[in-house]
Structure formats: structure tokens, C-alpha cells
Amino acid sequence: MTERPYFNDAQSRRRFLVTAGTAGAVGLAGCSDVLPGGNGNGNGEDPPVGQIGSGREGRSPGGVSMEEMPDLEGELTVYSGRGEFLVGELVEYIESLYDDFTLNIRYGGSTDLVNQIINEGEGTPADVFYSVNSGSLGALASEGRTQPLPDEVLDFVREEFHTDEWVGTSGRARTVPFNTNALSEGDLPDDIMEYPDVDADLGWAPSYGSCQAFVTAMRLLEGEEATKQWLEGVLDAGITSYPDEFVACQAIADGEIDAAFTNHYYIQRVLDGSPDAPIATSFTEGDAGAMFNVAGAAVTDAASDADLASNFVRHLLSGEAQDYFARTTFEYPLIPGVEPIGDLPTIDELDVPDLDLTQLSDLEPTIDLMREAGVNI
């Protein structure tokens, strides 16, 4: 991903979004203005409790509408590493648009589903793999179990958010959420490598896939020795572990810790339930702490109807679907014309590192390094 410097003075370089009462002022009324209601049960990397919000009602999504996309006809099986609680409403809506279209969804963890597709071989029923992260997409592609997507699908998003074999459907930025009662703007550095020396009670979720991808990015950008020193440093400073990043953000809002390392949308989800919670979002600059990852989809090499499969993926990039991700899961939309929720900076305004997202699938060295540094995962 190309680095895009945006901030141009000492205060604005690190863009703090003190969003209590503004960015989080969203209700729980559902999103019936675009999609019908109804939620399922969460699983995998997206915990089911306190995770869904309605965003802002009355938004008019840009982009290409589903009405302008090819009709879906036939039967399709999707292996989804995204939890039903987060995307079930969307995929059910897509299925409901077409009388002659049947969608079979199998939910599970992204890594588990990659292994399942590989083990099932050419006989896998999976036509589409829908992943919570680019690492799993890259892992499946590296096994030769995906096929190229057509340009009319890939061209919806910028080149750093796709390869020939998979396309990102929504994005997440790494952030440092902080408690506004405990810390002020000047207390947090804009360099992630300085955090072991910060005078603050920190938290993280080291067993969580997004955290491990963050450490992987650090390993790739800073080297193994520097990353090991960083890990040892935050452990020596007494960092608190949580089961997932939403719980870590809730701990910030509750005053248990001062700051943490999480994806951006968990802050928005805390604020969605408690608009006055003392939590805000900070960003580092051009390093692993500012990494931008994507959820995305690929068509498997065993797809019985590759055109149908790729056209379903195209629907995930429609204006309606992208607005759903913004309003309902608080993720970053990836197409022009649909803005994120929560008064967040745009993707162009984020100072992200120059990092090939496909390299994030190389988790084994990261796990080994974390354990060697003493991290309990």
C-alpha cells in the first residue's frame, strides 16, 4: 500500500477524534432504510455481543447499485469467515432480490475454512470464499485454490485492495483508542515503536487475528529483533490481555486501562451503545500501528459457475452493500462515493505503511516470535 502523508503540523499529524457525543451518536434502530431487518449469531473473529450499530439513517449511498448489476441465477455456496451476525442480513437481502437464486452459506473461522477448502480438494462445494482478512485470502490463493476475478469486479476498488485472485470488500484501520479522562492528545506518540515507554496502562488482544496481523506487519516493516524488543517492552510495562478487541475498547471506556491497540470500528461500536463513553481514536503514522487491512472475497478454483460467483462478489461492492458495511459494522467502505461512519478520516487521509497485504498470511513466524518474547497466546 502506498504511503500517503496527510498531516502537516505537529498537532494535526496525529489526528485524534474525540468523538464522545458526536461520532457515537447513533441509534440501534436497525438499517431498514436500505436492507430488511434481522440478525443471526456471530462467530469467528467478530464477537456477537455489542458489535452491531445502525449508523446514520437517511444516507444515500453512492457507487453502483445492485439494480445495475447482472442478475443472479442459479445456486451458489459461500464459505464465510465473516460472522452471520455481521453479514447475514446483507447476504439474505442479496438472495431475496432474485427469484431464481439460491444461496448456501457455511459460516466458520477464516483460517478453518481455508483449511477445509484445501482438504476438500476439487470436490469442495465452496464457490466463493468470503474472508475476514486478506491473510486468509492470500493463503488460499497461494495454494492455487482460487481463480482470477474479472476486471469489472476488480476495478471497483483501488489496486492496493485487490490482487488478480481476490478483492477487498471492506476495510479496517489499526488505531490506538484511549480514555479521554486519563490521557490527552499530547500523551500518545505518533510512532508505534515508542509505546513501550508510554506512561499509560495499555491493553491488547494477542490471541486475536487482527492483533496477530498487526504484529506481523511490525515484523515485516521493522524486523524481527525490533519487534521482539517491542513485545518484551509492552509486557514489561504490564500490558493487559483481553479475549478480543471490542472487550479491550470497552475496558478503556470503563476506565480499566488507558489505551489499547485495536481496529478502528471497535471504538465506534462502544460509542454506538454509549455515546458519552470517554473513548477516542488516535492514529500513528506510516507504521504497523497505522496498518489498513481488508475483508474480501475470492472465487474458488472449483466454482461450478464462475460467472455467477464473481457476480455475487460484485454485489458486495455495490453502493448498498458498501453503505451497509459503513452503517452496520462501522468498517471503511472501499468504493468511491460511500463515506465511513464516525467522523473518521478518509482512506486517503490515513498515513498507512507501504505494505503488501498478501504478506500478512505469513503468521507462523509471528506466533513463534510472540511466544519467544513471552506473550501468552
Side-chain angles (χ1 to χ4, degrees), residues 5 8 36 46 72 92 103 112 126 161 163-164 169 180-181 192 205 219 227 230 253 282-283 309 338 347 353 355 366:
N8 50 27
D46 297 300
L72 302 180
E92 288 172 7
L103 192 57
D112 293 339
F161 301 142
T163 68
D164 290 341
T169 54
T180 55
N181 292 334
I192 196 67
R219 179 176 60 82
T227 301
W230 187 91
S282 65
F283 296 87
V338 183
I347 294 175
L355 182 67
T366 299

Side-chain angles (χ1 to χ4, degrees), residues 21-56:
T22 55
V26 290
L28 293 171
C31 50
S32 57
D33 55 320
V34 175
L35 302 179
N39 289 315
N41 297 318
N43 57 57
E45 183 163 325
D46 297 300
V49 179
Q51 298 294 284
I52 292 294
S54 65
R56 295 172 181 163

Side-chain angles (χ1 to χ4, degrees), residues 1 35 50 73 88 110 169 175 210 231 317:
M1 186 180 298
L35 302 179
E73 183 176 347
S110 290
T169 54
T175 60
S210 293
L231 292 167
L317 296 167

